[in-house]
Amino acid sequence: MKVAGLPAGLLRRSQPICRRFCIGPLTQSRLERQPSHQPSPRYLTTSPSYSAIAAPEIDFSTQSYDDAPLNARIVPASPSYFTGKPDFTDNFLHLQSILRKHQLLPVVAPGQAPRVAWRTLTQYRIRLGEAVKASKYQKLIKLLHRLNQIHPNLMPREVREAMEEYKRDVNPYANVPKVHTVDQDGRAIGVGRRKSSTARVWLVEGEGEVLVNGKGLNAVFGRIHDRESAIWALKATQRIDKYNIWALVEGGGSTGQAEALTLGVAKALMVHEPMLKPALRRAGCVTRDPRRVERKKPGKLKARKMPAWVKR
């Protein structure tokens, strides 16, 4: 049998092994006692026998590495070709390489970096076409925050172009709030909202009179708590007898309208006296309350209440 091309380790094992069938070494007397079996003439072969020949030695000086390199294999262009989310992994590795390249640049103090509105997880999933997990997207946002801390005057163009891909189309932080001033009649306007109620308040210096939709405060709000909530901004700053209030309220119930008046009066008061903003914030009159009634769900009695369980 021709064994050319076999490795040297296999050639060393080409000798017959009789340890499995022989307990001890084969002596001459033992060989003499074994019957000799002559092959039948019908199984005789005339093919010549060859000794074991190793594979010819490769001459590397004659190989051409430009046309057909030795042991060549296809290397994917993307390092994440075999992953489940190749596009996300490519984006993450790209940002990591940029940060590693420019990590020694000066950064601004915490809180002084320009505010940027990044794409939400839903927007990123739609743009990428992959079901990216929230935890992985947070790691991506963490890299973007670190790149955003580079000093704006020293930020390379490569970093700016990489960050533009993850910004929202409209930056809400770029909106400048409108500055309200006191008009020629001495009035300051403030708009407050709570639940589905909206209140427009005009505040002017006076003796403490309050008119809501052309009616007095007691005629509009029957509960004492709602009356106090409507003028809580003036009461917390001890300005009840120094300003007059004229308001238009619509939508919602009495509680929503009263708390909408609280925010509207506070905004109008800050136009007259901007230095009262810390006191109004401590009193809870500056922040808009976003809470609303939770909707009823199908199969439940209310938003979360389940019907009583009956065994039979």
Side-chain angles (χ1 to χ4, degrees):
M1 178 180 67
K2 185 177 180 181
V3 293
L6 292 176
L10 294 179
L11 292 177
R12 289 194 297 268
R13 299 178 186 177
S14 60
Q15 301 297 331
I17 301 175
C18 59
R19 296 176 185 175
R20 182 177 178 182
F21 307 100
C22 303
I23 300 177
L26 294 175
T27 58
Q28 184 67 21
S29 60
R30 205 178 216 176
L31 292 174
E32 291 175 356
R33 290 196 301 267
Q34 292 180 356
S36 60
H37 298 279
Q38 297 295 333
S40 175
R42 58 183 295 187
Y43 297 108
L44 292 178
T45 177
T46 57
S47 59
S49 61
Y50 297 93
S51 60
I53 302 174
E57 184 179 359
I58 300 176
D59 188 5
F60 292 96
S61 61
T62 60
Q63 297 293 332
S64 176
Y65 296 96
D66 298 334
D67 301 336
L70 187 63
N71 298 332
R73 65 184 182 90
I74 300 176
V75 179
S78 171
S80 59
Y81 178 78
F82 297 103
T83 62
K85 301 177 178 61
D87 294 337
F88 169 78
T89 310
D90 286 344
N91 295 342
F92 187 79
L93 295 177
H94 179 60
L95 292 179
Q96 271 190 337
S97 62
I98 293 178
L99 179 59
R100 193 180 302 110
K101 181 178 179 182
H102 304 289
Q103 62 181 350
L104 299 180
L105 292 177
V107 297
V108 297
Q112 296 184 1
R115 301 184 67 182
V116 180
W118 309 109
R119 297 181 186 271
T120 61
L121 178 60
T122 305
Q123 294 174 349
Y124 184 73
R125 286 174 176 173
I126 294 174
R127 178 175 175 271
L128 206 63
E130 297 178 359
V132 182
K133 293 184 179 180
S135 58
K136 293 187 176 182
Y137 186 63
Q138 288 299 325
K139 296 179 181 179
L140 193 72
I141 295 297
K142 187 176 181 180
L143 292 177
L144 292 172
H145 281 309
R146 175 59 181 84
L147 292 174
N148 190 42
Q149 291 179 355
I150 299 177
H151 199 282
N153 297 336
L154 303 176
M155 185 177 294
R157 182 179 180 182
E158 180 184 10
V159 178
R160 297 181 185 275
E161 293 178 354
M163 292 170 52
E164 285 295 333
E165 299 180 2
Y166 302 94
K167 293 182 180 180
R168 296 186 194 176
D169 298 333
V170 178
N171 187 10
Y173 302 120
N175 299 333
V176 180
K178 183 179 179 181
V179 179
H180 295 279
T181 58
V182 179
D183 60 6
Q184 57 184 1
D185 297 328
R187 300 174 303 179
I189 186 174
V191 179
R193 293 181 176 86
R194 174 72 171 99
K195 295 183 181 178
S196 57
S197 304
T198 304
R200 289 174 292 172
V201 181
W202 284 267
L203 195 68
V204 64
E205 294 182 5
E207 297 81 17
E209 297 181 3
V210 180
L211 287 178
V212 179
N213 293 341
K215 302 178 183 179
L217 194 62
N218 296 338
V220 177
F221 301 108
R223 299 175 57 201
I224 299 178
H225 179 74
D226 294 339
R227 299 173 197 167
E228 292 182 354
S229 298
I231 58 174
W232 175 248
L234 297 177
K235 187 176 181 179
T237 56
Q238 300 178 359
R239 300 291 195 279
I240 294 181
D241 56 346
K242 294 184 179 181
Y243 292 96
N244 293 341
I245 299 175
W246 186 73
L248 295 177
V249 184
E250 58 183 1
S254 59
T255 303
Q257 291 180 356
E259 295 185 3
L261 277 172
T262 304
L263 182 58
V265 172
K267 288 183 178 180
L269 184 58
M270 285 189 295
V271 175
H272 281 281
E273 301 182 46
M275 300 301 294
L276 292 178
K277 184 174 182 178
L280 292 172
R281 184 175 294 279
R282 288 193 298 268
C285 303
V286 178
T287 305
R288 161 77 158 91
D289 194 348
R291 295 178 298 174
R292 300 180 68 91
V293 177
E294 190 175 350
R295 66 174 293 269
K296 180 187 179 300
K297 278 79 173 183
K300 298 185 178 182
L301 299 180
K302 296 195 299 183
R304 302 188 182 185
K305 182 179 180 181
M306 293 290 291
W309 179 78
V310 181
K311 185 174 183 181
R312 292 180 180 88

